[in-house]
Amino acid sequence: MHKTRNFFLTVIGLIWAIIVLSPFYLVVVNSSKKAVDITLNPFALPDGLGQFAENLSNVIGNPNFSFYSSLTWSALVTVVTLTLLILLSSMAAWVLCRNKTWWSSMLFMMFIATMIIPFQAVMLPLLTVFRTIQEITGIQMLQSFWGLIFAYMGFGAPLTIFVLHGFIKNIPFELEQSASIDGCSPAGTFFRIIFPLLRPVQVTLLILNGIWIWNDFLLPLIMLGLSGRVKTLPVAVQSLYGTYIRQWDLILTAAFLAMIPAVTLFIFAQKYIIKGMVEGAIKG
């Protein structure tokens, strides 16, 4: 009975793995084929890697794709957002965890509540709000580098604060009391004691949020558009779609280039993701 159950679980796991990995397989295989070969049989293996080199050259040299520019913008958006998100969310989680008042509990529950709201429900009101802010203050929020970062921080803060809040609960409050007795200010207590202790879960959140921001398409699309100066890699890939023509060889090669950093990061950092989520969420 035990062997039979393990056999069925193994079969189910293999089927699920095939389903999950099939899009990855299609992108990798078809990035080394001509457009006509992709149309005839997208599941067939390529004849060699020679076509991949040609596709790669055509993609990087394509003026509509602007590979190096979009790669730079994606890297800047990801790095700046993660830096601000981890710093500010760590401070917010510490304050909400240590202040046992009604307003801290209410704010924390508001952060948790926003996690269940789908992005599609707020994306159009978000554009209206950002456009209104731009009209009132004169600060450009749409088709703007800082506007996109501000939006990412808003959507990424709830989960980040939730995980950090659970981790901070496990840090003995006596450490902060000892620092206060020694004359350390609240800011000094946070940056010298609490912030370094949060490093394991911060690494996990950096990886999870980094993969999300790097791969995200819908938010940069509605915030930046296709004709703006700032373009992330997923938005730049969209520019290869014509009105009547789909250059599948270039599109899939560009998608392959865009997913390499995220896949590489996940492969080497998956143990930190599991460890940080367990310590930050389950123990809390």
Side-chain angles (χ1 to χ4, degrees), residues 176-229:
E176 299 173 37
Q177 290 178 326
S178 300
S180 178
I181 293 173
D182 291 337
C184 194
S185 64
T189 301
F190 174 76
F191 285 106
R192 294 179 183 178
I193 298 176
I194 302 300
F195 196 75
L197 293 175
L198 297 177
R199 191 167 301 162
V201 72
Q202 286 174 344
V203 172
T204 300
L205 292 169
L206 283 172
I207 296 167
L208 292 175
N209 287 319
I211 293 174
W212 159 57
I213 294 170
W214 184 271
N215 290 330
D216 189 35
F217 171 73
L218 188 55
L219 181 58
L221 178 65
I222 65 174
M223 289 286 297
L224 304 176
L226 292 174
S227 58
R229 180 177 64 91

Short mmCIF file of all heavy atoms in Angstrom, two decimals, residues 176-229:
data_model
loop_
_atom_site.label_atom_id
_atom_site.label_comp_id
_atom_site.label_asym_id
_atom_site.label_seq_id
_atom_site.Cartn_x
_atom_site.Cartn_y
_atom_site.Cartn_z
N GLU A 176 16.76 44.96 23.01
CA GLU A 176 16.48 46.38 22.81
C GLU A 176 16.48 47.12 24.15
O GLU A 176 16.92 48.27 24.22
CB GLU A 176 15.13 46.53 22.11
CG GLU A 176 15.10 45.87 20.73
CD GLU A 176 13.73 45.88 20.11
OE1 GLU A 176 13.00 46.88 20.29
OE2 GLU A 176 13.36 44.88 19.45
N GLN A 177 15.98 46.48 25.19
CA GLN A 177 16.00 47.12 26.50
C GLN A 177 17.43 47.34 26.99
O GLN A 177 17.75 48.41 27.55
CB GLN A 177 15.23 46.26 27.51
CG GLN A 177 13.73 46.22 27.27
CD GLN A 177 13.01 45.31 28.25
OE1 GLN A 177 13.55 44.29 28.67
NE2 GLN A 177 11.78 45.68 28.63
N SER A 178 18.29 46.36 26.76
CA SER A 178 19.69 46.50 27.15
C SER A 178 20.36 47.63 26.39
O SER A 178 21.14 48.42 26.95
CB SER A 178 20.45 45.19 26.89
OG SER A 178 19.89 44.13 27.64
N ALA A 179 20.06 47.75 25.10
CA ALA A 179 20.62 48.83 24.31
C ALA A 179 20.13 50.19 24.78
O ALA A 179 20.89 51.17 24.83
CB ALA A 179 20.26 48.64 22.84
N SER A 180 18.85 50.25 25.17
CA SER A 180 18.29 51.51 25.67
C SER A 180 18.94 51.91 26.99
O SER A 180 19.24 53.08 27.23
CB SER A 180 16.78 51.37 25.84
OG SER A 180 16.22 52.55 26.37
N ILE A 181 19.20 50.93 27.87
CA ILE A 181 19.85 51.21 29.15
C ILE A 181 21.27 51.73 28.93
O ILE A 181 21.75 52.61 29.65
CB ILE A 181 19.85 49.95 30.02
CG1 ILE A 181 18.42 49.59 30.44
CG2 ILE A 181 20.72 50.13 31.27
CD1 ILE A 181 18.31 48.26 31.16
N ASP A 182 21.92 51.21 27.90
CA ASP A 182 23.29 51.64 27.59
C ASP A 182 23.34 53.00 26.88
O ASP A 182 24.42 53.47 26.52
CB ASP A 182 23.99 50.60 26.73
CG ASP A 182 24.26 49.32 27.50
OD1 ASP A 182 24.31 49.38 28.75
OD2 ASP A 182 24.42 48.25 26.87
N GLY A 183 22.17 53.59 26.66
CA GLY A 183 22.11 54.92 26.07
C GLY A 183 21.95 54.96 24.57
O GLY A 183 22.15 56.00 23.94
N CYS A 184 21.57 53.82 23.96
CA CYS A 184 21.39 53.77 22.52
C CYS A 184 20.03 54.35 22.14
O CYS A 184 19.01 54.05 22.78
CB CYS A 184 21.50 52.32 22.03
SG CYS A 184 21.69 52.15 20.26
N SER A 185 19.99 55.18 21.13
CA SER A 185 18.74 55.77 20.67
C SER A 185 17.90 54.73 19.93
O SER A 185 18.43 53.67 19.54
CB SER A 185 19.03 56.94 19.73
OG SER A 185 19.69 56.48 18.56
N PRO A 186 16.61 55.01 19.71
CA PRO A 186 15.78 54.05 18.96
C PRO A 186 16.34 53.76 17.56
O PRO A 186 16.34 52.61 17.12
CB PRO A 186 14.42 54.74 18.89
CG PRO A 186 14.38 55.60 20.11
CD PRO A 186 15.79 56.08 20.30
N ALA A 187 16.82 54.80 16.88
CA ALA A 187 17.40 54.59 15.56
C ALA A 187 18.66 53.74 15.65
O ALA A 187 18.89 52.84 14.83
CB ALA A 187 17.71 55.93 14.90
N GLY A 188 19.49 54.01 16.65
CA GLY A 188 20.69 53.21 16.84
C GLY A 188 20.37 51.78 17.18
O GLY A 188 21.06 50.85 16.73
N THR A 189 19.34 51.57 18.00
CA THR A 189 18.93 50.21 18.35
C THR A 189 18.50 49.43 17.12
O THR A 189 18.85 48.26 16.94
CB THR A 189 17.77 50.25 19.37
OG1 THR A 189 18.19 50.94 20.54
CG2 THR A 189 17.32 48.85 19.73
N PHE A 190 17.76 50.11 16.25
CA PHE A 190 17.28 49.42 15.04
C PHE A 190 18.43 49.06 14.11
O PHE A 190 18.56 47.91 13.68
CB PHE A 190 16.26 50.30 14.31
CG PHE A 190 15.82 49.73 13.00
CD1 PHE A 190 14.92 48.67 12.95
CD2 PHE A 190 16.32 50.24 11.80
CE1 PHE A 190 14.53 48.13 11.73
CE2 PHE A 190 15.93 49.70 10.59
CZ PHE A 190 15.03 48.65 10.55
N PHE A 191 19.27 50.04 13.78
CA PHE A 191 20.30 49.81 12.77
C PHE A 191 21.49 48.99 13.30
O PHE A 191 22.17 48.33 12.52
CB PHE A 191 20.80 51.15 12.22
CG PHE A 191 19.83 51.80 11.27
CD1 PHE A 191 19.10 52.91 11.67
CD2 PHE A 191 19.64 51.29 10.01
CE1 PHE A 191 18.21 53.51 10.80
CE2 PHE A 191 18.74 51.88 9.13
CZ PHE A 191 18.02 53.00 9.53
N ARG A 192 21.74 49.02 14.61
CA ARG A 192 22.88 48.29 15.15
C ARG A 192 22.52 46.90 15.65
O ARG A 192 23.39 46.02 15.70
CB ARG A 192 23.50 49.09 16.29
CG ARG A 192 24.13 50.40 15.85
CD ARG A 192 24.70 51.15 17.04
NE ARG A 192 25.26 52.45 16.64
CZ ARG A 192 25.78 53.33 17.49
NH1 ARG A 192 25.82 53.06 18.79
NH2 ARG A 192 26.25 54.49 17.04
N ILE A 193 21.26 46.69 16.03
CA ILE A 193 20.88 45.40 16.63
C ILE A 193 19.84 44.68 15.77
O ILE A 193 20.05 43.53 15.36
CB ILE A 193 20.34 45.62 18.06
CG1 ILE A 193 21.44 46.22 18.94
CG2 ILE A 193 19.82 44.31 18.64
CD1 ILE A 193 20.99 46.54 20.33
N ILE A 194 18.70 45.32 15.51
CA ILE A 194 17.59 44.65 14.84
C ILE A 194 17.90 44.40 13.37
O ILE A 194 17.73 43.28 12.87
CB ILE A 194 16.30 45.48 14.99
CG1 ILE A 194 15.98 45.69 16.47
CG2 ILE A 194 15.15 44.77 14.27
CD1 ILE A 194 15.77 44.40 17.24
N PHE A 195 18.34 45.42 12.68
CA PHE A 195 18.54 45.31 11.23
C PHE A 195 19.52 44.20 10.85
O PHE A 195 19.25 43.42 9.93
CB PHE A 195 19.00 46.65 10.66
CG PHE A 195 18.86 46.76 9.16
CD1 PHE A 195 17.62 46.94 8.57
CD2 PHE A 195 19.97 46.67 8.34
CE1 PHE A 195 17.49 47.04 7.20
CE2 PHE A 195 19.86 46.77 6.97
CZ PHE A 195 18.61 46.95 6.39
N PRO A 196 20.66 44.06 11.53
CA PRO A 196 21.57 42.94 11.19
C PRO A 196 20.95 41.57 11.45
O PRO A 196 21.25 40.60 10.74
CB PRO A 196 22.78 43.18 12.09
CG PRO A 196 22.75 44.65 12.40
CD PRO A 196 21.30 44.99 12.49
N LEU A 197 20.09 41.46 12.48
CA LEU A 197 19.48 40.18 12.79
C LEU A 197 18.44 39.77 11.75
O LEU A 197 18.08 38.59 11.66
CB LEU A 197 18.82 40.24 14.17
CG LEU A 197 19.77 40.38 15.37
CD1 LEU A 197 18.97 40.55 16.66
CD2 LEU A 197 20.70 39.17 15.47
N LEU A 198 17.95 40.73 10.98
CA LEU A 198 16.94 40.44 9.96
C LEU A 198 17.54 39.94 8.65
O LEU A 198 16.80 39.66 7.70
CB LEU A 198 16.11 41.70 9.68
CG LEU A 198 15.29 42.26 10.83
CD1 LEU A 198 14.58 43.53 10.40
CD2 LEU A 198 14.28 41.24 11.31
N ARG A 199 18.85 39.83 8.58
CA ARG A 199 19.52 39.52 7.31
C ARG A 199 19.04 38.22 6.66
O ARG A 199 18.81 38.19 5.44
CB ARG A 199 21.02 39.49 7.52
CG ARG A 199 21.84 39.44 6.23
CD ARG A 199 23.29 39.73 6.50
NE ARG A 199 23.45 41.04 7.12
CZ ARG A 199 24.55 41.41 7.78
NH1 ARG A 199 25.55 40.56 7.92
NH2 ARG A 199 24.63 42.62 8.29
N PRO A 200 18.84 37.11 7.40
CA PRO A 200 18.38 35.88 6.72
C PRO A 200 17.06 36.04 5.99
O PRO A 200 16.92 35.62 4.84
CB PRO A 200 18.28 34.87 7.87
CG PRO A 200 19.19 35.38 8.92
CD PRO A 200 19.11 36.87 8.82
N VAL A 201 16.08 36.63 6.65
CA VAL A 201 14.78 36.79 6.01
C VAL A 201 14.82 37.91 4.97
O VAL A 201 14.09 37.87 3.97
CB VAL A 201 13.69 37.07 7.07
CG1 VAL A 201 13.81 38.45 7.67
CG2 VAL A 201 12.30 36.87 6.47
N GLN A 202 15.69 38.89 5.15
CA GLN A 202 15.83 39.94 4.14
C GLN A 202 16.37 39.38 2.84
O GLN A 202 15.96 39.79 1.75
CB GLN A 202 16.75 41.05 4.66
CG GLN A 202 16.10 41.94 5.70
CD GLN A 202 17.08 42.94 6.29
OE1 GLN A 202 18.29 42.80 6.15
NE2 GLN A 202 16.56 43.96 6.94
N VAL A 203 17.30 38.43 2.92
CA VAL A 203 17.83 37.79 1.71
C VAL A 203 16.71 37.07 0.97
O VAL A 203 16.60 37.17 -0.27
CB VAL A 203 18.96 36.81 2.08
CG1 VAL A 203 19.38 36.00 0.86
CG2 VAL A 203 20.16 37.57 2.64
N THR A 204 15.86 36.38 1.70
CA THR A 204 14.73 35.69 1.08
C THR A 204 13.80 36.66 0.39
O THR A 204 13.39 36.45 -0.75
CB THR A 204 13.95 34.91 2.15
OG1 THR A 204 14.81 33.96 2.76
CG2 THR A 204 12.75 34.20 1.55
N LEU A 205 13.48 37.76 1.06
CA LEU A 205 12.58 38.75 0.48
C LEU A 205 13.21 39.46 -0.71
O LEU A 205 12.52 39.81 -1.67
CB LEU A 205 12.19 39.76 1.56
CG LEU A 205 11.30 39.19 2.67
CD1 LEU A 205 11.19 40.17 3.83
CD2 LEU A 205 9.92 38.86 2.13
N LEU A 206 14.51 39.68 -0.65
CA LEU A 206 15.20 40.27 -1.80
C LEU A 206 15.07 39.38 -3.03
O LEU A 206 14.82 39.86 -4.15
CB LEU A 206 16.68 40.50 -1.47
CG LEU A 206 17.03 41.70 -0.59
CD1 LEU A 206 18.50 41.66 -0.20
CD2 LEU A 206 16.72 43.00 -1.33
N ILE A 207 15.22 38.07 -2.83
CA ILE A 207 15.14 37.14 -3.95
C ILE A 207 13.72 37.06 -4.50
O ILE A 207 13.49 37.18 -5.72
CB ILE A 207 15.63 35.75 -3.51
CG1 ILE A 207 17.10 35.81 -3.12
CG2 ILE A 207 15.42 34.73 -4.62
CD1 ILE A 207 17.59 34.59 -2.40
N LEU A 208 12.74 36.89 -3.63
CA LEU A 208 11.35 36.76 -4.06
C LEU A 208 10.86 38.03 -4.76
O LEU A 208 10.28 37.98 -5.85
CB LEU A 208 10.45 36.44 -2.87
CG LEU A 208 10.63 35.05 -2.24
CD1 LEU A 208 9.76 34.91 -1.01
CD2 LEU A 208 10.29 33.96 -3.25
N ASN A 209 11.09 39.17 -4.13
CA ASN A 209 10.67 40.43 -4.73
C ASN A 209 11.47 40.75 -5.99
O ASN A 209 10.94 41.33 -6.94
CB ASN A 209 10.81 41.58 -3.72
CG ASN A 209 9.74 41.53 -2.64
OD1 ASN A 209 8.58 41.25 -2.91
ND2 ASN A 209 10.12 41.80 -1.41
N GLY A 210 12.75 40.37 -5.98
CA GLY A 210 13.57 40.64 -7.15
C GLY A 210 13.10 39.86 -8.37
O GLY A 210 13.03 40.41 -9.48
N ILE A 211 12.76 38.59 -8.19
CA ILE A 211 12.24 37.79 -9.30
C ILE A 211 10.91 38.35 -9.79
O ILE A 211 10.66 38.42 -11.00
CB ILE A 211 12.09 36.32 -8.86
CG1 ILE A 211 13.48 35.70 -8.60
CG2 ILE A 211 11.35 35.50 -9.91
CD1 ILE A 211 13.43 34.30 -8.04
N TRP A 212 10.06 38.76 -8.87
CA TRP A 212 8.76 39.33 -9.24
C TRP A 212 8.93 40.62 -10.03
O TRP A 212 8.32 40.80 -11.10
CB TRP A 212 7.93 39.58 -7.97
CG TRP A 212 6.84 40.59 -8.14
CD1 TRP A 212 5.83 40.55 -9.05
CD2 TRP A 212 6.67 41.80 -7.40
NE1 TRP A 212 5.02 41.67 -8.91
CE2 TRP A 212 5.51 42.44 -7.91
CE3 TRP A 212 7.36 42.38 -6.34
CZ2 TRP A 212 5.06 43.66 -7.39
CZ3 TRP A 212 6.90 43.58 -5.82
CH2 TRP A 212 5.77 44.21 -6.35
N ILE A 213 9.76 41.53 -9.55
CA ILE A 213 9.94 42.82 -10.22
C ILE A 213 10.60 42.63 -11.58
O ILE A 213 10.22 43.27 -12.57
CB ILE A 213 10.77 43.77 -9.33
CG1 ILE A 213 9.99 44.11 -8.06
CG2 ILE A 213 11.15 45.04 -10.08
CD1 ILE A 213 10.81 44.85 -7.02
N TRP A 214 11.59 41.76 -11.65
CA TRP A 214 12.30 41.55 -12.91
C TRP A 214 11.39 40.98 -13.99
O TRP A 214 11.47 41.35 -15.16
CB TRP A 214 13.49 40.62 -12.68
CG TRP A 214 14.35 40.44 -13.89
CD1 TRP A 214 14.21 39.49 -14.87
CD2 TRP A 214 15.49 41.22 -14.27
NE1 TRP A 214 15.18 39.63 -15.82
CE2 TRP A 214 15.98 40.69 -15.48
CE3 TRP A 214 16.14 42.31 -13.69
CZ2 TRP A 214 17.09 41.21 -16.12
CZ3 TRP A 214 17.25 42.83 -14.33
CH2 TRP A 214 17.71 42.28 -15.53
N ASN A 215 10.51 40.05 -13.61
CA ASN A 215 9.66 39.37 -14.58
C ASN A 215 8.34 40.08 -14.84
O ASN A 215 7.61 39.70 -15.77
CB ASN A 215 9.36 37.94 -14.12
CG ASN A 215 10.58 37.05 -14.18
OD1 ASN A 215 11.46 37.25 -15.00
ND2 ASN A 215 10.63 36.06 -13.30
N ASP A 216 7.98 41.06 -14.03
CA ASP A 216 6.66 41.67 -14.12
C ASP A 216 6.48 42.38 -15.46
O ASP A 216 7.37 43.08 -15.94
CB ASP A 216 6.46 42.66 -12.97
CG ASP A 216 5.02 43.14 -12.89
OD1 ASP A 216 4.10 42.35 -13.18
OD2 ASP A 216 4.81 44.32 -12.54
N PHE A 217 5.29 42.23 -16.01
CA PHE A 217 4.98 42.84 -17.30
C PHE A 217 3.84 43.85 -17.23
O PHE A 217 3.93 44.94 -17.79
CB PHE A 217 4.61 41.75 -18.32
CG PHE A 217 4.06 42.28 -19.61
CD1 PHE A 217 4.89 42.89 -20.54
CD2 PHE A 217 2.72 42.17 -19.91
CE1 PHE A 217 4.39 43.38 -21.73
CE2 PHE A 217 2.20 42.65 -21.09
CZ PHE A 217 3.04 43.26 -22.02
N LEU A 218 2.76 43.51 -16.52
CA LEU A 218 1.56 44.32 -16.59
C LEU A 218 1.74 45.70 -15.95
O LEU A 218 1.35 46.72 -16.54
CB LEU A 218 0.39 43.58 -15.91
CG LEU A 218 -0.99 44.22 -16.05
CD1 LEU A 218 -1.32 44.45 -17.52
CD2 LEU A 218 -2.04 43.34 -15.40
N LEU A 219 2.34 45.77 -14.76
CA LEU A 219 2.52 47.07 -14.11
C LEU A 219 3.43 48.00 -14.90
O LEU A 219 3.08 49.16 -15.13
CB LEU A 219 3.04 46.87 -12.68
CG LEU A 219 3.25 48.16 -11.86
CD1 LEU A 219 1.94 48.93 -11.75
CD2 LEU A 219 3.79 47.83 -10.47
N PRO A 220 4.61 47.55 -15.37
CA PRO A 220 5.42 48.45 -16.21
C PRO A 220 4.72 48.85 -17.51
O PRO A 220 4.91 49.96 -18.01
CB PRO A 220 6.69 47.62 -16.50
CG PRO A 220 6.75 46.64 -15.42
CD PRO A 220 5.33 46.31 -15.07
N LEU A 221 3.90 47.95 -18.05
CA LEU A 221 3.21 48.26 -19.30
C LEU A 221 2.24 49.41 -19.12
O LEU A 221 2.22 50.36 -19.92
CB LEU A 221 2.47 47.02 -19.81
CG LEU A 221 1.66 47.23 -21.09
CD1 LEU A 221 2.58 47.55 -22.26
CD2 LEU A 221 0.83 45.98 -21.40
N ILE A 222 1.42 49.37 -18.06
CA ILE A 222 0.43 50.43 -17.87
C ILE A 222 1.05 51.70 -17.30
O ILE A 222 0.54 52.80 -17.51
CB ILE A 222 -0.73 49.95 -16.97
CG1 ILE A 222 -0.23 49.66 -15.55
CG2 ILE A 222 -1.40 48.73 -17.55
CD1 ILE A 222 -1.33 49.33 -14.57
N MET A 223 2.19 51.56 -16.59
CA MET A 223 2.85 52.73 -16.02
C MET A 223 3.76 53.44 -17.03
O MET A 223 3.83 54.67 -17.05
CB MET A 223 3.68 52.32 -14.80
CG MET A 223 2.87 51.92 -13.59
SD MET A 223 2.13 53.33 -12.76
CE MET A 223 3.58 54.24 -12.24
N LEU A 224 4.43 52.67 -17.86
CA LEU A 224 5.43 53.23 -18.77
C LEU A 224 4.93 53.33 -20.20
O LEU A 224 5.37 54.21 -20.94
CB LEU A 224 6.71 52.38 -18.74
CG LEU A 224 7.36 52.19 -17.37
CD1 LEU A 224 8.56 51.24 -17.49
CD2 LEU A 224 7.79 53.52 -16.78
N GLY A 225 4.06 52.42 -20.61
CA GLY A 225 3.63 52.38 -22.00
C GLY A 225 4.70 51.78 -22.89
O GLY A 225 5.79 51.42 -22.46
N LEU A 226 4.40 51.69 -24.19
CA LEU A 226 5.33 51.10 -25.15
C LEU A 226 6.19 52.15 -25.84
O LEU A 226 7.19 51.81 -26.47
CB LEU A 226 4.57 50.29 -26.20
CG LEU A 226 3.88 49.02 -25.72
CD1 LEU A 226 3.05 48.40 -26.83
CD2 LEU A 226 4.90 48.02 -25.21
N SER A 227 5.80 53.40 -25.75
CA SER A 227 6.51 54.45 -26.49
C SER A 227 7.36 55.35 -25.60
O SER A 227 7.95 56.30 -26.08
CB SER A 227 5.50 55.33 -27.25
OG SER A 227 4.57 55.92 -26.35
N GLY A 228 7.41 55.06 -24.30
CA GLY A 228 8.16 55.91 -23.39
C GLY A 228 9.66 55.66 -23.46
O GLY A 228 10.14 54.69 -24.04
N ARG A 229 10.41 56.55 -22.83
CA ARG A 229 11.87 56.43 -22.82
C ARG A 229 12.31 55.30 -21.91
O ARG A 229 13.28 54.59 -22.20
CB ARG A 229 12.48 57.75 -22.33
CG ARG A 229 14.00 57.75 -22.28
CD ARG A 229 14.50 59.12 -21.85
NE ARG A 229 14.06 59.45 -20.50
CZ ARG A 229 14.77 59.16 -19.40
NH1 ARG A 229 15.93 58.56 -19.51
NH2 ARG A 229 14.30 59.50 -18.21
#
